[in-house]
Amino acid sequence: MKKVEDYIRSIPDFPEEGIIFRDVTSILQDADGLQLAIDELKKKLEGLEFDAVAGAESRGFIFGMPLAYHFHKPFIPIRKAGKLPCETVSKTYELEYGSATIEMHKDAISEGEKVVLIDDLIATGGTMKAATELVEELGGTVVKILFLLELAGLNGRDALQGYDVESIVRYEGK
């Protein structure tokens, strides 16, 4: 029986020499791989009490939507700045080379709601740290953070200490 990592394409020396790029589009392009990835993520949420699923643009949408559908929960998009039409809250965070800003609608979360955050990959943890801050600013509680892939060598879990963080596939390197 195949595992999720069997569907992940590894591309050496991209985007620069010495880096191995872990490509999740190869999972999306294979019906069995996609179903397996979603099934493995679903298992991580079985028995967990939560009110909503929030996903970071854009691959968090891809993996978060089927989970929201399966568990009959609303889906909250976390977008890049300037992409949402209504009143938003935003958070700017540092990247390796510069900064980025993410937003969510101000009315997306109610006081006391329990939220699962999802993205395809955890590297340094900056995006999800900013997402946790947005959820909490709106009065929600992050009850789990899920990733399909984890690049453990970049220590992203350090930015998310105190949260329940899980990944399906873990690569020790960068």
Side-chain angles (χ1 to χ4, degrees), residues 84-101:
L84 292 170
C86 297
E87 188 176 359
T88 62
V89 291
S90 64
K91 191 64 64 177
T92 300
Y93 59 100
E94 295 305 311
L95 299 167
E96 189 176 354
Y97 303 105
S99 63
T101 302

Side-chain angles (χ1 to χ4, degrees), residues 49-152:
E49 186 181 323
F50 63 99
D51 302 306
V53 175
E57 186 172 353
S58 66
R59 290 174 304 266
F61 296 5
I62 293 169
F63 295 107
M65 282 295 299
L67 298 174
Y69 175 84
H70 173 77
F71 290 101
H72 195 79
K73 305 292 182 183
F75 181 80
I76 301 164
I78 300 170
R79 305 270 338 246
K80 295 172 184 164
K83 302 290 184 183
L84 292 170
C86 297
E87 188 176 359
T88 62
V89 291
S90 64
K91 191 64 64 177
T92 300
Y93 59 100
E94 295 305 311
L95 299 167
E96 189 176 354
Y97 303 105
S99 63
T101 302
I102 57 172
E103 297 179 330
M104 67 173 45
H105 279 138
K106 195 172 189 175
D107 63 357
I109 295 171
S110 299
E111 186 73 33
E113 280 191 304
K114 297 174 184 167
V115 179
V116 171
L117 292 173
I118 188 159
D119 206 354
D120 68 321
L121 172 77
I122 179 172
T124 63
T127 302
M128 272 302 129
K129 178 61 177 164
T132 64
E133 292 170 1
L134 288 176
V135 168
E136 291 166 353
E137 182 179 325
L138 293 174
T141 302
V142 175
V143 294
K144 185 174 277 295
I145 306 173
L146 270 180
F147 301 97
L148 190 62
L149 305 175
E150 178 174 356
L151 303 178

Side-chain angles (χ1 to χ4, degrees), residues 33-43 62-63 66-67:
L34 179 58
Q35 186 170 29
L36 180 60
I38 298 302
D39 287 348
E40 291 299 314
L41 290 165
K42 281 188 334 192
K43 287 178 189 175
I62 293 169
F63 295 107
L67 298 174

Side-chain angles (χ1 to χ4, degrees), residues 12-20 96-97:
D13 300 322
F14 183 82
E16 59 187 50
E17 188 149 345
I19 301 292
I20 299 175
E96 189 176 354
Y97 303 105

